[in-house]
Amino acid sequence: MKHVMLLAGAGQIGMAIARRMGAGMKIVVGDKKLENAKNIAAILTNTGFDTEAMEMDLSSWASIQHFIAEGQKYGPVTMLVNAAGVSPSQAPVKTILKVDLYGTAVLLEEVGKIIAPGGVGVTISSQSGHRMPALLPQVDEQLACTPADELLDLDVLQLQNIKDTLHAYQLAKRCNEKRVMAEAVKWGERGARINSISPGIIVTPLAIDEFNGPRGDFYKNMFAKCPAGRPGTADEVANVAELLMSRAGAFITGADFLVDGGATASYFYGPLKPQEN
């Protein structure tokens, strides 16, 4: 029996975190594309980690439950890394809400029921959640506390109230942050902690595709005009995850950490501030 890390989403950020925190553990890698999960698992295995790859669809409650049950076969689940999701240019509004918002809520809720005492979790949100104007307090509470299977029925998430895929993504990421706060209370009853990280532009194969795509100039302008003057790396996100998931972060739970090179600061108070018409 080993302590188990559930790694949802077979990408560069999730793998970077797993490399920091997964030594000596059983790492179960789940991704909607089994090939992606196998590729990440192989890289980790070839550098000394103990991994298992499986198909896991974040938009499916049954698939999430299967993912958790598979992890439990190897021992107590003591770590969750949720790095799964889709971006505004990858999917339509309904898919973004089903995966990034609903799926993340289900995963945090279900893992929270079985996480071992002393366990920790981190979910990858986005700077986008910080760009949207404040919501009404009652809407924030709905996003935080509504049972996951009822979330998509909320008025604020109906298609007629959502402008485009970016708006849907912002709502999903705002929901992730609020959800982490509410789940931290429940996880705390089991002696466990959960936090979120909101990265800005991080260089990954997906990001490089975005740089070369129709929104490429937008992204390049964003990192050029942020205080850091560059995009970030997956390892820089993992630096924060290592703090949050280690004993050094034992007093941190229910929090969101913005790791964006200052892009959000620039958006509100600097050269990235939208020009008013």
Side-chain angles (χ1 to χ4, degrees):
M1 298 284 282
K2 285 189 173 184
H3 284 200
V4 175
M5 172 191 285
L6 297 176
L7 172 55
Q12 297 299 309
I13 291 175
M15 182 172 66
I17 297 171
R19 289 175 72 108
R20 296 292 179 89
M21 304 304 302
M25 304 184 74
K26 183 72 175 188
I27 303 173
V28 180
V29 186
D31 195 274
K32 187 173 182 181
K33 294 183 178 178
L34 181 58
E35 180 184 2
N36 291 348
K38 286 182 174 179
N39 287 342
I40 292 296
I43 293 170
L44 289 169
T45 298
N46 289 336
T47 48
F49 294 89
D50 182 5
T51 63
E52 187 72 29
M54 63 178 291
E55 185 177 333
M56 192 281 292
D57 180 358
L58 193 63
S59 70
S60 163
W61 198 309
S63 184
I64 289 169
Q65 288 179 314
H66 178 58
F67 177 51
I68 294 169
E70 187 67 22
Q72 290 180 295
K73 290 180 183 177
Y74 300 102
V77 175
T78 56
M79 287 189 180
L80 168 68
V81 177
N82 176 31
V86 293
S87 74
S89 57
Q90 286 181 309
V93 167
K94 288 183 72 172
T95 301
I96 290 169
L97 295 180
K98 193 70 186 291
V99 175
D100 292 357
L101 188 146
Y102 165 83
T104 294
V106 171
L107 184 62
L108 299 185
E109 198 172 277
E110 291 298 313
V111 173
K113 294 174 183 177
I114 60 91
I115 189 76
V120 290
V122 66
T123 189
I124 303 302
S125 186
S126 168
Q127 63 178 352
S128 282
H130 293 262
R131 301 283 172 85
M132 197 169 56
L135 300 174
L136 293 173
Q138 58 265 37
V139 175
D140 277 339
E141 186 168 355
Q142 288 172 346
L143 291 174
C145 301
T146 301
D149 60 349
E150 300 172 18
L151 258 177
L152 294 178
D153 294 331
L154 293 176
D155 285 344
V156 70
L157 301 179
Q158 299 313 298
L159 295 183
Q160 66 269 22
N161 296 323
I162 297 176
K163 293 179 290 188
D164 51 29
T165 58
L166 179 58
H167 186 205
Y169 188 72
Q170 289 174 330
L171 279 167
K173 296 307 179 179
R174 181 69 62 85
C175 181
N176 293 169
E177 294 158 28
K178 298 302 178 183
R179 207 82 196 170
V180 161
M181 294 179 74
E183 284 295 332
V185 178
K186 299 176 185 176
W187 283 48
E189 294 170 359
R190 299 181 61 88
R193 299 183 295 110
I194 177 73
N195 292 290
S196 60
I197 300 174
S198 291
I201 298 173
I202 305 298
V203 178
T204 64
L206 174 63
I208 292 170
D209 285 344
E210 293 279 3
F211 296 159
N212 295 321
R215 288 165 60 86
D217 289 343
F218 171 81
Y219 288 114
K220 290 173 185 175
N221 181 63
M222 186 184 297
F223 67 69
K225 292 182 179 177
C226 75
R230 61 172 178 85
T233 67
D235 283 294
E236 288 176 304
V237 178
N239 289 340
V240 179
E242 184 175 15
L243 165 65
L244 297 177
M245 300 181 80
S246 71
R247 289 304 303 167
F251 198 56
I252 306 172
T253 192
D256 178 72
F257 284 73
L258 186 59
V259 184
D260 69 346
T264 300
S266 185
Y267 177 84
F268 283 108
Y269 309 118
L272 288 174
K273 187 173 184 177
Q275 298 299 310
E276 295 183 4
N277 295 326

